[in-house]
Amino acid sequence: MLLSLGTAMDENTEVVTGPVGESNARAITNTRTSYRNVLQSQLGILRGYLAALAAIALVTLCAFRLHLNLSTSGSLYFLIVVLVSMIWGFGEATFTSLIAVNCLNYFFVPPLLTWRVSDPQNWVALATFEITALAVSRLSTRARGQARAEARHRVQVEKLYELSRRILLLDRRQAIGSQIVSLIQEIFRTESVALFDGTLARLDATGSWANDLGQLARNAYLQDSALEDADANTWSHVLRLGSKPIGAITLRGPELDRLTIVSIASLAAIALERARSLDNESHAEAARQTEQLRTAVLDALAHAFKTPLTVIRAASSGLLEAGRLSIDDAEIAALVDEQAEHLNRLTSELLQMARIDAAAVKLRRERVCVLTVVEDVLGRFSEQLRGRRVSVPDSATNLEVYGDREILTTALEQLIDNAAKYSTPGSPISVTAEENLGEMIIAVHNEGPPIRPDDRERIFERFYRAGESRHRAPGTGLGLSIAKKAVEAHGGRTWVVSEERTGTRFFFAVPRGIRRQFDALAR
């Protein structure tokens, strides 16, 4: 399964590699460089042993010619051992101490120029010298190693800071991944870097081993695990946001410890997510501006349509009331009057939407009795609801909400109108209201065909109409979006529950807010 997934991703992955291609000549050059580095390292170690041996020989010659005693010669040897441990390391210092203790025994411990030790105190002195030399060498080497580690750590921290600073300055107009790998290679002096973005299925790589590292990065992401090859100085680490993997990064180069690699991976993950967040923010701002422009255009068109529609309706109604038209002319006039009424409703809804969408809208909050609003709306829709049983529970009598009466009425009107249009003819409609956790929840229930799950997510969008509803009743696709905007203006929310057996129930909930608001007014 993993192989098939990797094959599928290979077919759809966008790969961007650095300018240096991989070839046989490049591989041979890299091999020669590795051998040269190993040889230089071995020569450096041998140089330390030879220098220690030469120093011991020089001190031995001078001390023996000057007839120095055991204590003075031992001090000189001890100084050489400490210097060797500070310059080269513990191995060279151990070798130096063993040569030094044998020289002390042979040249300065009676009987001279023999390996025998006649006095037990000299055995103690030689053993003390060796133990002290080894202990001091070990401590010196450890301190030297810690100093080097701290220096490397300080350098790595400085590089990480530089990487984080320059990540903030990335050019958003260019691909983020390619900029990140270039920065990492430049700052950390790595041979190659590969970055796989799992969200975009995009691979960015640079350096002489770009192709191999790109495959390793992809594998690390697919397996969701870190991959490491210390012999080849290659490390792969998964990029995560929280516990979610979003990609992987692979690096090849010396002087990279695990902590540094984890930090680089974290910075790369943050950079990718930051770039996506900025893109989403830009798209959201563009969508908001587009929505504002569309609202302004709809508002202007609605106002422009109002005057000619009023004239058309007046003319058609006058012709019908005059009664001097033939049957055919009267049918045409009735059709004109009907369509003019439909356009008038549409422009009214557009004006309502524009008003609610306006950024400067201010709610005129007051104490609103829920039952009064429900009865007013049902009264306005008495013609549409004729022949239906409409129920309102008595529990709504004492419920109140602190909000804009007109806008709340608009929201409820749209739900009642929607229920009347799309429910089964003659079926009952019920309106319920209840207080729950500081919210006033009002629901309108009707019986009819259920709303498909796919449509439930979009039914509150402007101009959206479900496939089945388009043929059941005329509409503009604005009603539910107006209800949603009206409720959101109060800081509330809307949703729908629709099942085959129980019917469809539209809900909107707004913060009740009466006690808090009136307590503030009382103070």
Side-chain angles (χ1 to χ4, degrees):
M1 180 178 179
L2 182 60
L3 179 61
S4 63
L5 179 58
T7 305
M9 291 195 66
D10 287 342
E11 296 175 353
N12 299 294
T13 301
E14 180 181 357
V15 181
V16 181
T17 60
V20 184
E22 206 173 355
S23 62
N24 292 333
R26 172 64 67 180
I28 294 173
T29 302
N30 290 333
T31 303
R32 289 176 177 175
T33 302
S34 300
Y35 285 143
R36 189 182 301 112
N37 292 336
V38 172
L39 181 60
Q40 290 177 353
S41 176
Q42 296 296 330
L43 289 176
I45 295 175
L46 182 61
R47 189 182 298 115
Y49 285 100
L50 293 176
L53 188 60
I56 290 293
L58 179 62
V59 168
T60 301
L61 178 62
C62 295
F64 188 76
R65 288 288 182 89
L66 296 174
H67 303 287
L68 299 180
N69 58 23
L70 177 62
S71 176
T72 304
S73 302
S75 299
L76 293 175
Y77 286 137
F78 186 78
L79 178 61
I80 293 175
V81 172
V82 172
L83 292 175
V84 169
S85 68
M86 292 176 61
I87 297 173
W88 283 284
F90 181 71
E92 290 83 349
T94 301
F95 170 78
T96 305
S97 67
L98 292 174
I99 298 297
V101 77
N102 281 279
C103 288
L104 283 174
N105 184 16
Y106 189 81
F107 291 102
F108 301 101
V109 174
L112 300 180
L113 302 180
T114 65
W115 300 104
R116 287 189 306 108
V117 179
S118 58
D119 190 349
Q121 293 183 4
N122 291 332
W123 280 112
V124 174
L126 292 174
T128 302
F129 172 84
E130 180 65 21
I131 293 173
T132 305
L134 291 175
V136 172
S137 299
R138 185 62 178 172
L139 292 174
S140 176
T141 303
R142 182 179 299 174
R144 178 169 167 263
Q146 290 179 350
R148 288 181 176 178
E150 291 177 358
R152 286 195 301 269
H153 179 69
R154 183 169 59 254
V155 171
Q156 299 295 350
V157 169
E158 292 174 355
K159 290 180 178 180
L160 288 172
Y161 171 76
E162 178 67 13
L163 177 63
S164 63
R165 187 185 66 84
R166 294 182 63 177
I167 277 178
L168 296 176
L169 304 177
L170 292 179
D171 188 356
R172 293 170 54 190
R173 295 170 296 180
Q174 301 179 12
I176 297 298
S178 59
Q179 297 182 72
I180 293 175
V181 296
S182 298
L183 278 180
I184 294 174
Q185 186 181 36
E186 175 187 347
I187 294 174
F188 290 89
R189 304 296 181 184
T190 57
E191 296 180 25
S192 303
V193 182
L195 178 68
F196 181 73
D197 187 344
T199 304
L200 301 179
R202 175 188 172 93
L203 176 64
D204 293 280
T206 183
S208 56
W209 301 85
N211 292 337
D212 290 342
L213 264 62
Q215 186 62 41
L216 288 175
R218 187 185 295 108
N219 292 340
Y221 172 73
L222 293 174
Q223 299 173 17
D224 192 14
S225 62
L227 305 176
E228 181 176 335
D229 186 356
D231 295 335
N233 293 328
T234 303
W235 298 267
S236 297
H237 200 278
V238 179
L239 308 183
R240 298 183 185 276
L241 282 178
S243 60
K244 177 184 177 183
I246 63 170
I249 188 170
T250 302
L251 303 98
R252 178 184 175 88
E255 298 183 0
L256 289 175
D257 54 39
R258 180 177 297 276
L259 181 60
T260 301
I261 294 169
V262 172
S263 300
I264 292 174
S266 299
L267 289 174
I270 293 172
L272 292 177
E273 184 61 22
R274 178 176 178 270
R276 274 192 280 271
S277 298
L278 292 175
D279 288 342
N280 292 337
E281 182 180 345
S282 299
H283 295 157
E285 178 63 20
R288 187 186 66 82
Q289 294 179 358
T290 301
E291 188 69 15
Q292 287 181 341
L293 178 60
R294 182 166 60 178
T295 298
V297 171
L298 291 176
D299 185 26
L301 289 175
H303 278 94
F305 287 164
K306 271 292 184 179
T307 300
L309 281 174
T310 303
V311 175
I312 293 173
R313 289 196 63 204
S316 60
S317 299
L319 289 174
L320 290 172
E321 292 179 359
R324 290 177 293 183
L325 299 176
S326 63
I327 296 176
D328 292 338
D329 292 340
E331 290 180 354
I332 294 174
L335 180 61
V336 171
D337 189 69
E338 178 184 349
Q339 295 303 314
E341 173 62 22
H342 177 66
L343 286 175
N344 185 61
R345 286 197 306 270
L346 176 59
T347 53
S348 297
E349 289 181 347
L350 289 175
L351 287 172
Q352 284 181 325
M353 177 66 75
R355 180 196 169 198
I356 296 173
D357 273 347
V361 64
K362 293 183 179 180
L363 299 180
R364 294 178 293 181
R365 293 185 181 271
E366 58 181 322
R367 189 193 293 265
V368 178
C369 176
V370 175
L371 182 59
T372 301
V373 172
V374 172
E375 290 177 345
D376 289 345
V377 173
L378 293 178
R380 297 178 188 180
F381 285 85
S382 57
E383 288 294 327
Q384 290 179 255
L385 300 175
R386 181 174 298 173
R388 295 176 182 264
R389 181 171 56 86
V390 180
S391 61
V392 180
D394 296 335
S395 59
T397 304
N398 299 322
L399 295 178
E400 293 181 334
V401 65
Y402 191 74
D404 190 305
R405 181 188 299 272
E406 184 178 350
I407 293 181
L408 290 175
T409 300
T410 299
L412 185 57
E413 284 178 346
Q414 300 302 331
L415 298 187
I416 296 293
D417 180 60
N418 184 82
K421 284 181 178 179
Y422 301 110
S423 61
T424 302
S427 62
I429 294 176
S430 65
V431 181
T432 60
E434 62 176 353
E435 182 185 358
N436 185 24
L437 299 177
E439 287 185 322
M440 184 61 64
I441 302 176
I442 298 177
V444 177
H445 175 265
N446 65 84
E447 298 177 1
I451 302 173
R452 295 185 306 176
D454 294 342
D455 292 328
R456 294 174 203 168
E457 299 295 328
R458 302 188 58 192
I459 200 168
F460 291 98
E461 294 179 9
R462 186 179 303 180
F463 299 117
Y464 181 81
R465 300 189 70 196
E468 297 83 354
S469 65
R470 297 173 185 172
H471 308 290
R472 291 182 60 85
T476 61
L478 286 172
L480 293 178
S481 64
I482 291 175
K484 180 181 178 182
K485 290 289 185 180
V487 172
E488 288 179 347
H490 284 79
R493 54 200 175 94
T494 56
W495 71 97
V496 61
V497 176
S498 184
E499 300 292 343
E500 181 74 34
R501 292 178 298 175
T502 60
T504 300
R505 189 183 300 268
F506 283 91
F507 296 84
F508 74 81
V510 295
R512 188 163 180 258
I514 293 180
R515 181 175 301 173
R516 184 181 66 253
Q517 296 290 347
F518 277 92
D519 288 346
L521 291 176
R523 287 196 297 268

